[in-house]
Amino acid sequence: MLISYHFVCQYRILLLYYCVGELNDLRCRLNEDMIETLFMVNNSKESLGIAIKDNARRQIVQSASPMPSENRVLDPKKSQNIAILLRALNVTIDEVCDALREGNCDTLGTELLESLLKMAPTNDEESKLKEFQDESPFKLGPAEKFLKVVLDIPFAFKRVDAMLYIANFDSELEYLKKSFETLEVACEELRNSRMFLKILEAVLRTGNRMNVGTNRGDAHAFKLDTLLKLVDIKGTDGKTSLLHFVVQEIVRTEGSRISGSNHPHTSDNVQQYTLQDEVDIKKLGLQVVSGLGGELTNVKKAAAMDSDMLSSDVAKLARGIEKVVRVVKLNEESPLKETNQKFSDAMKGFLERGEQEILKIQVQEKNALSKVKEITEYFHGNSAKEEAHPFRIFMVVRDFLSILDGVCKEVGKVNERTLVGFRQSVMPANPIMPTFFPEIIGKQPSDSSESD
């Protein structure tokens, strides 16, 4: 506060003399004294402190610099990524090298082998690492040091590639086996499903009755794509679809077949019991129809498959075994053949089994695709050749099952409402149900359409 007050007083004097024209000598003196006293000394101290700190930092940085500096053979980003991978994998150089020399895939595992393959140096990087001398004044970084040790093993990264193929072989083979088994079972499900065939028969008979008198009134088959359009064909009420009608008819016949309750009732309340029995019969029949999705489980699985992808996976598996064949050949031609005998034995042991398994899976692929073709021709006839997607038949059935599930739920709700409505009102002994498709009912013959 004293300094500030002093400065203010001097400033007032300065201003006074300036006004009267007697400022020159005093202003110079004041400027020198006040600026030097109040500011110059402090700034000098601060500058000195900053300079001292800068010198200290410079010394620390210089002392932290590696002496001697590291020799970066690899691209800095690649070197950093490899160093990070090595820390994450938590494995020693000796463990990696021993597994590569012995061909022990289980020791390294798929994840580690994949990581090692990503570390593979370019031809130029490999040459520089092999030429590097230990007595060099420059030191290798962690990534370069690791790769240099690994490269001392003959054709190290070709070994890694072959061992990764072996490590993945069984899981890839199992996936393909299950896929082809699913396709074969899906074909059997479609061919042998009594309920699915009954729906097809009901749709065919319904279509023929609706088209009596036309050139389409005596059809013997139809493409399964037609099933997806049934829900769009509406009855006279504008709500009930042709698929609803077919489901209701099958529900009734299936329920009667299961319950065997076609005999008349003699109770005084025959009217109530008859409707209750009818609802129960429909429940039984509805359970059978709605259970079709459970019968065709493998059909739905097959619908999600890609035929091109499966064929590509089989071809890839067959081509991949050449990696093992080549690395065994390189090992046989190596001057260090004796020291690499364990690796050679491990690879040959796999080759004997692997080649047999590939032949088996190729035969299984052929059989599965042949059955798919047969089932497509079974339902679509000659038009099966026009199918762009070999598995399209499964996709159509899957989509139909989804539509059918929704219709079954709606039919179940209608049946429940019918029973509730009956309990709330008295109905005639033989209620007249509305006819949504009169052209079908009017032309329906008294044949054995309710049979299996």
Side-chain angles (χ1 to χ4, degrees):
M1 293 297 293
L2 291 175
I3 293 174
S4 299
Y5 178 74
H6 178 68
F7 179 78
V8 171
C9 291
Q10 294 296 336
Y11 179 75
R12 287 175 178 172
I13 295 171
L14 175 63
L15 184 60
L16 177 61
Y17 279 94
Y18 179 79
C19 294
V20 295
E22 299 180 3
L23 180 61
N24 291 339
D25 292 339
L26 182 59
R27 182 177 60 180
C28 293
R29 182 175 60 83
L30 287 176
N31 281 341
E32 292 174 3
D33 292 344
M34 298 302 293
I35 293 173
E36 184 178 343
T37 301
L38 297 177
F39 301 105
M40 293 299 292
V41 175
N42 288 342
N43 277 348
S44 298
K45 290 180 180 178
E46 290 177 4
S47 299
L48 180 61
I50 292 172
I52 293 172
K53 290 179 181 179
D54 285 343
N55 289 332
R57 285 197 193 97
R58 201 171 292 111
Q59 292 174 1
I60 293 171
V61 170
Q62 291 174 354
S63 63
S65 299
M67 293 297 292
S69 60
E70 292 181 353
N71 182 20
R72 294 291 184 183
V73 175
L74 303 177
D75 174 77
K77 186 175 181 180
K78 182 177 181 179
S79 178
Q80 183 183 19
N81 290 339
I82 292 176
I84 293 171
L85 276 174
L86 290 174
R87 287 195 296 270
L89 293 172
N90 193 25
V91 64
T92 65
I93 295 179
D94 290 339
E95 289 172 341
V96 173
C97 292
D98 290 344
L100 290 179
R101 289 190 184 97
E102 298 173 5
N104 194 335
C105 306
D106 295 333
T107 299
L108 299 180
T110 301
E111 183 181 357
L112 179 53
L113 287 168
E114 286 177 348
S115 299
L116 286 174
L117 203 57
K118 293 176 183 176
M119 299 179 190
T122 63
N123 292 334
D124 183 53
E125 292 169 343
E126 183 174 342
S127 299
K128 289 179 179 179
L129 286 169
K130 287 182 176 180
E131 292 170 1
F132 185 84
Q133 301 297 324
D134 293 336
E135 57 271 16
S136 171
F138 297 97
K139 300 298 180 184
L140 292 175
E144 286 87 349
K145 188 181 298 183
F146 174 81
L147 289 179
K148 180 171 173 55
V149 174
V150 171
L151 288 172
D152 289 338
I153 301 171
F155 40 92
F157 285 94
K158 286 184 172 63
R159 294 189 185 207
V160 172
D161 199 13
M163 290 169 66
L164 178 59
Y165 169 80
I166 295 172
N168 287 325
F169 184 82
D170 287 335
S171 60
E172 290 291 328
L173 188 68
E174 188 65 21
Y175 154 72
L176 290 170
K177 283 182 178 179
K178 287 184 176 179
S179 297
F180 295 133
E181 287 172 2
T182 298
L183 288 173
E184 292 178 11
V185 176
C187 294
E188 294 299 319
E189 287 178 351
L190 281 181
R191 188 184 291 271
N192 299 325
S193 173
R194 187 186 68 85
M195 178 50 56
F196 183 64
L197 295 177
K198 187 158 189 172
I199 290 175
L200 296 183
E201 180 189 3
V203 171
L204 180 63
R205 292 168 67 89
T206 302
N208 283 338
R209 286 172 186 160
M210 292 178 68
N211 292 303
V212 167
T214 69
N215 57 359
R216 294 185 299 174
D218 192 25
H220 298 286
F222 61 90
K223 289 191 69 173
L224 295 186
D225 301 64
T226 305
L227 295 173
L228 305 179
K229 303 173 184 177
L230 298 178
V231 75
D232 297 324
I233 303 174
K234 303 297 183 182
T236 54
D237 66 343
K239 297 179 181 178
T240 305
S241 71
L242 191 56
L243 182 57
H244 283 78
F245 173 80
V246 170
V247 169
Q248 288 170 343
E249 289 297 298
I250 296 177
V251 162
R252 178 175 57 81
T253 58
E254 283 297 301
S256 299
R257 181 183 65 83
I258 295 172
S259 65
S261 58
N262 290 325
H263 57 278
H265 291 277
T266 58
S267 171
D268 294 336
N269 296 324
V270 64
Q271 178 180 328
Q272 180 176 351
Y273 283 118
T274 299
L275 188 57
Q276 179 66 59
D277 288 345
E278 184 180 347
V279 171
D280 290 341
I281 287 170
K282 288 182 177 179
K283 280 184 178 180
L284 291 173
L286 191 60
Q287 289 175 2
V288 176
V289 177
S290 61
L292 180 60
E295 294 180 19
L296 304 181
T297 303
N298 287 284
V299 172
K300 290 186 282 188
K301 290 180 181 178
M305 295 182 185
D306 187 321
S307 61
D308 293 336
M309 187 65 70
L310 282 176
S311 298
S312 174
D313 288 342
V314 173
K316 183 180 178 181
L317 195 68
R319 288 195 307 269
I321 204 166
E322 288 299 320
K323 298 176 182 179
V324 184
V325 173
R326 284 196 298 269
V327 83
V328 168
K329 185 178 180 181
L330 287 171
N331 190 71
E332 294 291 333
E333 296 172 352
S334 172
L336 302 175
K337 176 181 176 181
E338 298 300 327
T339 60
N340 296 324
Q341 191 60 42
K342 285 186 177 180
F343 177 81
S344 184
D345 291 342
M347 296 298 104
K348 288 179 179 178
F350 166 78
L351 281 176
E352 292 178 4
R353 180 178 70 90
E355 288 173 344
Q356 292 178 359
E357 293 291 351
I358 287 174
L359 290 175
K360 288 180 182 178
I361 200 64
Q362 287 173 334
V363 171
Q364 190 176 0
E365 176 194 20
K366 184 179 179 180
N367 292 338
L369 295 180
S370 176
K371 288 185 177 181
V372 172
K373 183 179 179 181
E374 288 176 7
I375 199 67
T376 305
E377 291 176 350
Y378 178 78
F379 286 107
H380 287 177
N382 293 332
S383 61
K385 299 177 182 178
E386 302 171 5
E387 295 291 349
H389 195 302
F391 299 165
R392 188 172 182 277
I393 187 171
F394 302 124
M395 298 165 67
V396 171
V397 175
R398 176 199 60 192
D399 294 344
F400 171 69
L401 291 174
S402 178
I403 296 171
L404 181 66
D405 183 59
V407 170
C408 286
K409 289 178 181 178
E410 292 173 5
V411 170
K413 292 178 181 178
V414 170
N415 292 341
E416 290 296 331
R417 287 198 297 267
T418 300
L419 181 60
V420 171
F422 171 77
R423 289 172 177 171
Q424 294 176 351
S425 62
V426 177
M427 296 179 64
N430 295 309
I432 301 175
M433 302 301 291
T435 303
F436 300 124
F437 294 90
E439 66 274 25
I440 300 175
I441 304 300
K443 299 170 185 175
Q444 183 172 356
S446 57
D447 55 13
S448 57
S449 61
E450 296 181 5
S451 64
D452 295 345

